[in-house]
Short mmCIF file of all heavy atoms in Angstrom, two decimals:
data_model
loop_
_atom_site.label_atom_id
_atom_site.label_comp_id
_atom_site.label_asym_id
_atom_site.label_seq_id
_atom_site.Cartn_x
_atom_site.Cartn_y
_atom_site.Cartn_z
N HIS A 30 -10.48 2.41 2.18
CA HIS A 30 -10.83 1.15 1.51
C HIS A 30 -10.66 -0.07 2.42
O HIS A 30 -10.97 -1.19 2.01
CB HIS A 30 -9.99 0.97 0.24
CG HIS A 30 -10.21 2.04 -0.78
ND1 HIS A 30 -11.46 2.36 -1.26
CD2 HIS A 30 -9.34 2.89 -1.40
CE1 HIS A 30 -11.35 3.34 -2.15
NE2 HIS A 30 -10.08 3.68 -2.24
N ASN A 55 5.65 -0.08 5.94
CA ASN A 55 5.63 0.52 4.61
C ASN A 55 5.84 2.03 4.69
O ASN A 55 6.61 2.61 3.91
CB ASN A 55 4.31 0.20 3.91
CG ASN A 55 4.20 0.80 2.52
OD1 ASN A 55 3.67 1.89 2.36
ND2 ASN A 55 4.72 0.11 1.52
N CYS A 67 2.90 9.36 12.95
CA CYS A 67 2.04 9.24 14.13
C CYS A 67 0.60 9.65 13.82
O CYS A 67 -0.34 9.06 14.35
CB CYS A 67 2.60 10.09 15.27
SG CYS A 67 4.16 9.48 15.94
N THR A 83 -19.57 1.40 15.56
CA THR A 83 -20.66 1.23 14.59
C THR A 83 -21.22 -0.18 14.67
O THR A 83 -22.45 -0.39 14.67
CB THR A 83 -20.17 1.53 13.17
OG1 THR A 83 -19.74 2.89 13.09
CG2 THR A 83 -21.29 1.30 12.15
N LEU A 92 -26.03 3.61 21.67
CA LEU A 92 -24.65 4.06 21.47
C LEU A 92 -24.56 5.17 20.42
O LEU A 92 -23.67 6.01 20.48
CB LEU A 92 -23.78 2.88 21.02
CG LEU A 92 -23.07 2.06 22.11
CD1 LEU A 92 -22.38 0.87 21.49
CD2 LEU A 92 -22.10 2.92 22.89
N VAL A 109 1.63 5.74 18.65
CA VAL A 109 2.66 4.86 18.09
C VAL A 109 2.13 3.43 18.18
O VAL A 109 0.99 3.20 18.59
CB VAL A 109 3.99 5.01 18.85
CG1 VAL A 109 4.55 6.41 18.64
CG2 VAL A 109 3.83 4.71 20.33
N SER A 175 -8.19 20.63 40.00
CA SER A 175 -8.10 21.58 41.11
C SER A 175 -7.59 20.97 42.40
O SER A 175 -7.20 21.69 43.32
CB SER A 175 -9.47 22.22 41.37
OG SER A 175 -9.98 22.81 40.20
N LYS A 180 -5.76 13.28 41.80
CA LYS A 180 -5.16 12.78 40.57
C LYS A 180 -4.93 11.28 40.68
O LYS A 180 -4.37 10.80 41.67
CB LYS A 180 -3.85 13.49 40.28
CG LYS A 180 -3.27 13.15 38.90
CD LYS A 180 -2.01 13.93 38.62
CE LYS A 180 -0.85 13.42 39.43
NZ LYS A 180 0.45 13.95 38.93
N GLN A 287 5.82 29.26 18.23
CA GLN A 287 6.96 29.94 17.63
C GLN A 287 6.49 31.08 16.71
O GLN A 287 7.03 32.19 16.76
CB GLN A 287 7.80 28.93 16.84
CG GLN A 287 9.14 29.47 16.36
CD GLN A 287 9.06 30.10 14.98
OE1 GLN A 287 8.33 29.61 14.12
NE2 GLN A 287 9.79 31.19 14.77
N LYS A 323 8.55 -10.21 21.01
CA LYS A 323 8.67 -9.61 22.33
C LYS A 323 7.69 -8.46 22.46
O LYS A 323 7.18 -7.94 21.47
CB LYS A 323 10.10 -9.10 22.56
CG LYS A 323 11.16 -10.18 22.54
CD LYS A 323 12.54 -9.56 22.75
CE LYS A 323 13.64 -10.61 22.72
NZ LYS A 323 14.98 -10.00 22.88
N LYS A 336 28.00 8.50 17.54
CA LYS A 336 28.47 9.65 18.30
C LYS A 336 27.79 10.96 17.89
O LYS A 336 27.45 11.79 18.74
CB LYS A 336 29.99 9.80 18.14
CG LYS A 336 30.80 8.67 18.78
CD LYS A 336 30.62 8.66 20.29
CE LYS A 336 31.49 7.58 20.94
NZ LYS A 336 31.31 7.51 22.41
N LYS A 341 23.71 15.29 19.04
CA LYS A 341 22.46 15.99 18.71
C LYS A 341 21.43 15.82 19.81
O LYS A 341 20.72 16.76 20.17
CB LYS A 341 21.91 15.48 17.38
CG LYS A 341 22.68 15.91 16.16
CD LYS A 341 22.06 15.35 14.89
CE LYS A 341 22.85 15.74 13.66
NZ LYS A 341 22.26 15.14 12.41
N PHE A 352 13.93 25.16 28.24
CA PHE A 352 12.49 25.43 28.06
C PHE A 352 11.73 25.18 29.36
O PHE A 352 10.90 26.00 29.78
CB PHE A 352 11.96 24.53 26.95
CG PHE A 352 10.46 24.51 26.81
CD1 PHE A 352 9.78 25.63 26.39
CD2 PHE A 352 9.74 23.35 27.09
CE1 PHE A 352 8.39 25.62 26.26
CE2 PHE A 352 8.37 23.32 26.96
CZ PHE A 352 7.69 24.46 26.55
#
Side-chain angles (χ1 to χ4, degrees):
H30 298 306
N55 180 266
C67 292
T83 298
L92 269 174
V109 295
S175 305
K180 188 177 73 167
Q287 190 270 323
K323 298 179 181 178
K336 292 296 183 182
K341 288 180 182 178
F352 170 68

